[in-house]
Amino acid sequence: MTATTPFPDGFLWGGATAANQLEGAYDEGGKGPSIQDVMPQGISGPPTAEPTPENLKLQGIDHYHRYAEDIALFAEMGFRTYRFSIAWSRIFPNGDDAEPNEEGLAFYDRLLDELEKHGIEPLVTISHYETPLALAQKYDGWVSRDLIGFFETYVRTIFARYGSRVKYWLTFNEINSVLHAPLMSGGILTPKDQLTKQDLYQAVHHELVASSLATKIARELVPQAMIGCMVIAVPFYPLTPDPQDALAAQRADHENLAFGDVHVRGEYPGYLLRQLRELGVELNITDEDRALLKEHTVDFVSFSYYMSSTQTADASKIPSEGNLILGAPNPTLEASEWGWQIDPVGLRIVMNQFWERWQKPLFIVENGLGAKDRLVEVDGVKTVEDDYRIAYLNDHLYQVGEAIQDGVEVLGYTTWGCIDLVSASTAQLSKRYGFIYVDRNDDGSGTLDRYKKKSFHWYADVIRTNGGNLTAK
Ligand code: BGP
């Protein structure tokens, strides 16, 4: 008998990836370069002039050639959904081409065939940190309003091609990250320290308008589609009970919530308008933009969750670099090997906050632990004994169950990097998230063979029991 669990029937259990971090085949099948092909160090170093061999993303984990084998492994775990992204430059190699690249379109047909074969529901990210490089070089990415038109052509093309097969779509991955990583998230080549606030927020505005436009087009072309925004969720705690620290935490929160507010409520919130005024930013917002934002809001809110953060009015306590989103270290929490503070309860808190604020179903589309794994042999079988990953996921999922009992509506949960892939922030392979170990190392060596980790079997049980095997910490 299956234990009763808070997870509803039909809960979409699965895993998530992004094209640029696993496909490889960076110049095959007519694909053009994306910004990732010139980011060998992720956001930890400057871009190169052209793709260079040390960039692990050029080969990724060779998923482009091994997708069928990988999807079969996901199916073995019982995945009900799989989140992947379409590489924009596989479909439009330069971003502004008049015609799409048929070979690129055909690749995702094959991938969808494979998912259908196994009864796995696709969840597609339209733009996941992979702006075509030519758009970055010619237009400085999303700083230019022209990008909206190129994005529209891309979106119309993929909705027309895959609309009958894909119900769940996400517009921009972690759209709020453009404030912190303008190249990775906004295709903006101007170095961050030279980029004006005016250009940065104008780029944000263009992405928000493009996201609403995608929703509008979906309503026309694929009325059964469910469109979600995708934001980084980071609850901010005040470092002390000092009201000034509480205010600093609220400010930091606002920076993230603003993106959900525009996507769900269709207009810029007052606190953001004030911030823009104070920064001296005057956005170019047309009447048409305003109407688009207002009329084409999202069906659900998806988000990534890795950590919480702590804010204080005392700037000297905040490190100037380290993570995508900065905060003071929280003395009550432990951290991953990459310094990301682990906070399962924060997930419950942020889910309640989002639900109370927006009353839209939530979809947790990224969560997981990046860790160094060691391949060992147990009873003649190669595996990884990743109890630390099982503990991380168990504790977070337990809190998802708590949030569901609090009344939060949740569509599903996809772990980040269900198969080992290249890290977005550091471009390493040694920062592993997967249930499946891929034999590839930071120096590029390795057979690319796949091995099931201990967590593979554990997650299969989570799905089989609909969360019935999760335990309180
Ligand atoms: C999110 C990105 C993903 C992913 C994940 C883990 O910010 O949407 O692409 O990579 O974080 O981050 P990292 O790979 O830097 O460990």
Side-chain angles (χ1 to χ4, degrees), residues 21 128-129 173-174 306 340 366 416 423-425 431 433:
Q21 293 172 257
H128 192 132
Y129 293 163
N173 180 63
E174 296 189 331
Y306 294 93
W340 293 17
E366 284 188 32
W416 173 251
S423 151
S425 57
K431 192 177 185 191
Y433 286 86

Side-chain angles (χ1 to χ4, degrees), residues 91-380:
I91 311 299
F92 288 94
N94 301 293
D96 58 359
D97 317 71
E99 295 300 325
N101 167 36
E102 175 54 34
E103 249 190 288
L105 286 166
F107 169 66
Y108 297 103
D109 281 336
R110 295 198 294 278
L111 199 143
L112 287 168
D113 289 345
E114 218 51 45
L115 292 174
E116 269 165 33
K117 191 167 109 189
H118 293 288
I120 299 176
E121 177 91 50
L123 165 60
V124 175
T125 317
I126 297 172
S127 178
H128 192 132
Y129 293 163
E130 45 216 357
T131 307
L133 182 60
L135 295 184
Q137 290 167 335
K138 277 199 235 169
Y139 302 90
D140 212 11
W142 283 94
V143 168
S144 163
R145 187 172 276 274
D146 290 343
L147 270 267
I148 300 176
F150 303 134
F151 186 74
E152 175 175 1
T153 308
Y154 164 54
V155 163
R156 282 191 183 279
T157 306
I158 59 174
F159 281 170
R161 181 80 166 218
Y162 312 119
S164 60
R165 313 178 75 181
V166 178
K167 179 173 171 194
Y168 296 98
W169 298 86
L170 310 179
T171 52
F172 289 91
N173 180 63
E174 296 189 331
I175 187 164
N176 41 342
S177 63
V178 65
L179 296 176
H180 314 281
L183 174 57
M184 182 167 77
S185 186
I188 302 170
L189 270 176
T190 299
K192 195 175 164 185
D193 54 1
Q194 290 164 36
L195 184 64
T196 62
K197 293 281 182 220
Q198 176 69 38
D199 282 352
L200 178 61
Y201 280 96
Q202 193 63 45
V204 167
H205 177 67
H206 294 150
E207 286 199 12
L208 288 167
V209 170
S211 181
S212 290
L213 185 57
T215 310
K216 176 175 187 263
I217 298 167
R219 307 275 184 256
E220 290 162 16
L221 297 183
V222 265
Q224 73 284 8
M226 295 273 287
I227 309 292
C229 58
M230 195 313 199
V231 295
I232 307 181
V234 180
F236 286 96
Y237 308 130
L239 186 61
T240 73
D242 180 341
Q244 291 301 337
D245 280 3
L247 199 61
Q250 189 186 52
R251 277 223 184 95
D253 238 0
H254 275 163
E255 199 161 90
N256 287 329
L257 292 170
F259 290 80
D261 280 354
V262 176
H263 273 106
V264 175
R265 297 172 170 161
E267 56 191 33
Y268 279 67
Y271 58 82
L272 177 58
L273 293 174
R274 175 179 183 169
Q275 196 198 344
L276 295 176
R277 269 196 313 276
E278 288 176 358
L279 287 169
V281 170
E282 281 185 43
L283 289 183
N284 169 14
I285 306 182
T286 66
D287 290 344
E288 200 191 347
D289 293 349
R290 260 184 248 281
L292 266 174
L293 294 177
K294 193 68 202 168
E295 285 161 30
H296 307 286
T297 54
V298 289
D299 298 307
F300 65 98
V301 172
S302 81
F303 64 90
S304 61
Y305 178 80
Y306 294 93
M307 65 190 110
S308 58
S309 187
T310 307
Q311 283 295 321
T312 160
D314 179 353
S316 69
K317 297 214 170 76
I318 313 250
S320 57
E321 53 185 42
N323 281 341
L324 202 55
I325 292 180
L326 299 172
N330 183 333
T332 71
L333 299 176
E334 288 179 0
S336 78
E337 291 165 278
W338 275 265
W340 293 17
Q341 290 204 296
I342 300 171
D343 179 11
V345 174
L347 177 53
R348 177 180 177 184
I349 292 172
V350 90
M351 288 174 74
N352 273 280
Q353 182 193 34
F354 283 7
W355 174 249
E356 284 160 13
R357 194 174 183 95
W358 297 316
Q359 297 279 298
K360 290 279 177 198
L362 305 181
F363 208 140
I364 304 148
V365 296
E366 284 188 32
N367 175 233
L369 178 71
K372 289 193 180 124
D373 286 339
R374 207 162 52 88
L375 198 60
V376 294
E377 213 166 292
V378 178
D379 301 331

